[in-house]
Amino acid sequence: MTTQLNTTIRDTDTADQIFSHLVRLHEGLDADQSASVNAELLILLANHIGQPAVISQAVDLLISSRA
Amino acid sequence: MATPADIPVRKRYDFKRPPELDGQSVRHPFVVVGGGPIGLSMALDLAKKGHKVVVLNKMDILADGSKALCFSKRSLDIWDRIGVGEPMTNLGVQWNVGKVFWQDREDPIFQFDLLPVKNQKNPAFINLQQFHAEDFLIQAVEANDLIDLRWNNEVTAIETIENGRRLSVDTPEGTYALDADWVIACDGNRSPLRTMLGLDFEGRVFEDNFLIADVRFKLERPSERWFWFDPPFPGASALMHKQPDGVWRLDFQLGWDIDKAEAMKPENVEPFVKGFLGGDIDFEYEWVSVYTFQCRRMDQFVHDRVIFAGDSAHLVSPFGARGANGGLADIDNLGWKLDLIARGKADQSLLETYEYEAGVTADENILNSTRATDFLTPKNAGAETLRDAVLKLATQFEWARPYVNSGRLSAPVHYPNSTLSIGDADAFDGGVAPGSPCLDAPTDKGWLLSMLGDAFKLLRFVGEGESPAPIGTLSEVVIEISGDNQLAAERYGAKPGSAYLVRPDQYVMARWHDMSTAKLDSALSKVFSSKEIAA
């Protein structure tokens, strides 16, 4: 099982499909509700990944990218 | 009908009294309704195959103004095939690269090359004002003895006759009946023929307004498509294209809740253009317009003897240049099928493959156009947060860049699942799959696509010095795998003995490494009626 964060560069069709599903989650919601479902989706996908090491790398990547 | 007063006129053409008004009626094989780029290209394609065509244009002008601008490589290949490509490509501004900017960052956050496979005759795109394209098409049509282009001839009614349709046509000198075996409806997004037949046009309206300013100014910038999200000048997004004649197209996103007439007033347009250019550059307006858009399509394009093509059949947002290019894909697909049916070589049921293939193309164009529009105009705070996150991540991470969608630009559509695409029996390492358009390549005899022309061809690859006997009765293009032809062989995953069956629209129908007459005949039987194959 992989323990490395996967940063594969996807083709645009794959990216467009993923993005349109993410947007679908927000239909009819206000900003507060959107923030809340974003967190819920994040926890759901983190649970799907199920590897603390990968989550840790993802978090570190975003922390280190802060200006 | 007379041309409406609010349409700007670039050229005017003379009405000529049609012979039907003096009682000289003949049955016409093909009548094209609509004299825009799609109708004119349809007529040229049919005439190239030897057919007489009548084109009915309800107006008597070449309209000025800003309409279609970006014509794709595939469209240029189609225009080359029907003999009008080169003047377009020569006058057009050729470009391959798109850049995406965000806020006030000077460097693009993302850029893409729309012609990743180099060494092809045509560029990824040209920018050419629609009136220039139409002007070239009109000149070619008027020089063609097989095409009868009738200005100021408006269809007002349609009725069914045996194996055809009868059109009522209004002219300044009276109304006449025109009988045709086939009517091709290229009469635009408000298609009067579609209305007369009571047909549907379902889809979605997008809630945003865009300001197009075609402006003349002096600016040194490369011939590329530049797009801004949240630009440092007015507009929620902006797009810049270079046009011929020293004109630039600027396109600004205005938002939904605006007064369109107010937005077009010079004092309201000026802040956008001045904001874009900076204060001290002189400019001059060519055209200004405000538009909204819709994505729609007819459920079916083929209605027995009436066939819809172009905007009459499907409509997309302009982000992606999929409107006119999508229409040219239709006529490219339709022309050879109508030709074979009219000559009795194929059954009318061949048009089911137009229904399927043009339908797949329309759906793909609408899907891509809808996705781009949704990215450009987020519908709620959550969508906007996601969009902005993508843009921010794209400044730092390459993996985030494919998510940036400033328009997925028109590319030829593949139809591997069409009944005309015959799955590989032999294993190919790359190459061009059945249901995909042929790739261009330089050869020792010129560009490959020019050699393929517009009839069924067997494209054969042979070893150096070999000149094998023809396999069937089809005309063959033989490429000797050596020297200058290595690139072509590579692009087709070809070995000595490999062969591609190429349709008249230059799509691959089947391919083999191990070829035989029986395999070829079996493939051709998907198109030709059995007696033709036997002959």
Side-chain angles (χ1 to χ4, degrees):
Chain A
M1 188 182 270
T2 175
T3 51
Q4 280 295 309
L5 180 68
N6 182 348
T7 53
T8 301
I9 298 160
R10 310 287 172 187
D11 61 67
T12 54
D13 183 59
T14 302
D16 286 351
Q17 288 187 51
I18 290 173
F19 190 80
S20 68
H21 288 304
L22 296 180
V23 166
R24 193 160 59 82
L25 180 63
H26 297 271
E27 274 168 24
L29 303 188
D30 66 23
D32 286 347
Q33 291 167 323
S34 279
S36 176
V37 295
N38 272 339
E40 291 168 20
L41 181 66
L42 177 61
I43 292 164
L44 176 63
L45 292 177
N47 185 60
H48 168 81
I49 293 162
Q51 296 178 76
V54 171
I55 307 297
S56 173
Q57 288 169 52
V59 167
D60 288 344
L61 185 69
L62 293 184
I63 289 174
S64 69
S65 76
R66 283 177 194 160
Chain B
M1 84 178 235
T3 297
D6 59 343
I7 296 182
V9 177
R10 193 169 176 92
K11 282 190 188 175
R12 226 170 247 293
Y13 298 88
D14 293 333
F15 166 76
K16 288 191 197 75
R17 190 176 167 84
E20 286 83 357
L21 280 174
D22 299 310
Q24 298 167 40
S25 290
V26 292
R27 172 100 173 205
H28 298 273
F30 296 106
V31 172
V32 173
V33 181
I38 310 309
L40 295 168
S41 299
M42 177 86 261
L44 286 165
D45 194 10
L46 290 168
K48 180 119 199 293
K49 296 177 166 83
H51 299 283
K52 287 186 167 181
V53 190
V54 176
V55 181
L56 303 176
N57 190 333
K58 68 178 181 183
M59 299 197 291
D60 58 356
I61 60 158
L62 171 61
D64 215 327
S66 55
K67 294 192 278 184
L69 177 64
C70 304
F71 292 97
S72 69
K73 175 185 184 304
R74 178 72 192 152
S75 294
L76 298 175
D77 290 341
I78 294 167
W79 277 338
D80 271 347
R81 189 177 59 69
I82 60 178
V84 290
E86 286 183 5
M88 309 264 193
T89 315
N90 292 341
L91 180 58
V93 172
Q94 305 185 15
W95 62 277
N96 296 312
V97 170
K99 288 181 177 164
V100 178
F101 298 85
W102 185 37
Q103 299 173 335
D104 57 0
R105 288 167 175 76
E106 282 205 8
D107 293 325
I109 60 168
F110 176 55
Q111 74 175 63
F112 45 85
D113 186 339
L114 294 161
L115 194 71
V117 180
K118 301 300 171 192
N119 267 314
Q120 306 196 69
K121 181 185 173 194
N122 284 317
F125 278 91
I126 61 164
N127 290 343
L128 183 69
Q129 293 93 329
Q130 183 171 330
F131 54 73
H132 279 314
E134 283 178 350
D135 202 358
F136 287 130
L137 290 165
I138 291 166
Q139 289 173 38
V141 159
E142 297 210 313
N144 192 313
D145 291 340
L146 291 172
I147 306 175
D148 178 3
L149 171 56
R150 300 184 179 185
W151 302 97
N152 225 329
N153 277 241
E154 181 180 17
V155 176
T156 54
I158 180 166
E159 63 180 292
T160 300
I161 55 175
E162 196 181 351
N163 294 327
R165 292 293 181 273
R166 175 166 295 159
L167 301 170
S168 295
V169 185
D170 271 11
T171 77
E173 296 181 12
T175 300
Y176 66 93
L178 186 67
D179 291 354
D181 296 339
W182 298 96
V183 175
I184 302 120
C186 305
D187 52 349
N189 75 72
R190 291 188 196 87
S191 175
L193 271 174
R194 196 179 63 224
T195 306
M196 283 172 221
L197 293 172
L199 298 168
D200 64 288
F201 200 43
E202 297 300 321
R204 177 175 159 198
V205 178
F206 287 83
E207 296 189 346
D208 214 312
N209 291 282
F210 290 80
L211 168 71
I212 281 193
D214 285 341
V215 189
R216 264 176 215 277
F217 50 77
K218 285 202 164 44
L219 185 66
E220 292 303 320
R221 279 207 180 145
S223 302
E224 296 170 343
R225 176 190 196 260
W226 285 18
F227 188 95
W228 288 262
F229 288 101
D230 301 329
F233 44 82
S237 68
L239 175 64
M240 182 197 77
H241 272 298
K242 190 179 190 175
Q243 308 187 40
D245 314 326
V247 178
W248 296 76
R249 172 161 293 180
L250 306 178
D251 193 334
F252 303 95
Q253 185 180 349
L254 298 179
W256 178 235
D257 193 20
I258 62 152
D259 181 332
K260 280 170 116 175
E262 277 295 307
M264 281 172 64
K265 288 185 177 166
E267 66 267 30
N268 293 326
V269 174
E270 199 164 290
F272 286 93
V273 179
K274 280 204 159 158
F276 175 86
L277 282 174
D280 46 4
I281 294 180
D282 288 331
F283 65 90
E284 213 182 299
Y285 294 113
E286 283 280 298
W287 296 104
V288 172
S289 59
V290 171
Y291 67 94
T292 54
F293 48 76
Q294 311 169 26
C295 288
R296 292 178 185 275
R297 64 161 285 184
M298 298 178 75
D299 184 40
Q300 281 187 45
F301 304 156
V302 180
H303 294 267
D304 190 28
R305 296 285 174 148
V306 186
I307 302 156
F308 289 81
D311 282 358
S312 67
H314 42 71
L315 202 57
V316 294
S317 83
F319 291 97
R322 288 170 180 268
N325 292 310
L328 289 167
D330 287 347
I331 65 97
D332 184 46
N333 192 288
L334 182 58
W336 66 270
K337 295 174 183 175
L338 285 175
D339 166 55
L340 292 182
I341 295 166
R343 288 195 287 128
K345 291 185 172 293
D347 189 80
Q348 191 175 338
S349 63
L350 182 59
L351 288 178
E352 288 164 17
T353 67
Y354 172 74
E355 185 74 64
Y356 173 79
E357 292 173 350
V360 168
T361 303
D363 289 344
E364 183 167 318
N365 285 333
I366 288 172
L367 177 67
N368 277 289
S369 167
T370 300
R371 285 171 174 171
T373 309
D374 284 342
F375 194 89
L376 258 58
T377 63
K379 301 293 174 290
N380 51 55
E384 192 165 354
T385 304
L386 284 168
R387 203 274 300 272
D388 291 348
V390 164
L391 294 170
K392 177 162 176 283
L393 289 168
T395 63
Q396 288 170 293
F397 302 115
E398 202 176 347
W399 58 265
R401 288 171 195 156
Y403 292 84
V404 176
N405 189 344
S406 71
R408 301 288 184 223
L409 280 113
S410 179
V413 172
H414 305 256
Y415 5 87
N417 299 320
S418 169
T419 54
L420 295 183
S421 306
I422 294 160
D424 288 334
D426 303 343
F428 270 78
D429 181 16
V432 182
S436 298
C438 285
L439 261 175
D440 205 359
T443 77
D444 55 1
K445 301 188 197 82
W447 291 107
L448 183 58
L449 293 187
S450 313
M451 290 158 64
L452 290 172
D454 59 359
F456 269 97
K457 289 275 162 65
L458 193 62
L459 170 62
R460 298 180 67 185
F461 293 87
V462 300
E464 198 167 355
E466 290 176 17
S467 50
I471 290 178
T473 51
L474 277 189
S475 153
E476 298 188 350
V477 170
V478 179
I479 304 287
E480 204 177 300
I481 304 179
S482 67
D484 293 343
N485 295 336
Q486 294 290 358
L487 187 60
E490 204 175 289
R491 282 186 183 172
Y492 284 79
K495 308 185 279 207
S498 302
Y500 278 71
L501 174 58
V502 180
R503 305 174 1 170
D505 56 5
Q506 301 185 344
Y507 267 72
V508 172
M509 190 163 156
R511 58 180 181 172
W512 307 268
H513 288 308
D514 182 18
M515 185 60 202
S516 73
T517 314
K519 289 176 185 174
L520 180 61
D521 282 352
S522 160
L524 287 170
S525 70
K526 304 264 183 195
V527 171
F528 293 88
S529 44
S530 50
K531 60 182 190 304
E532 286 301 325
I533 294 289

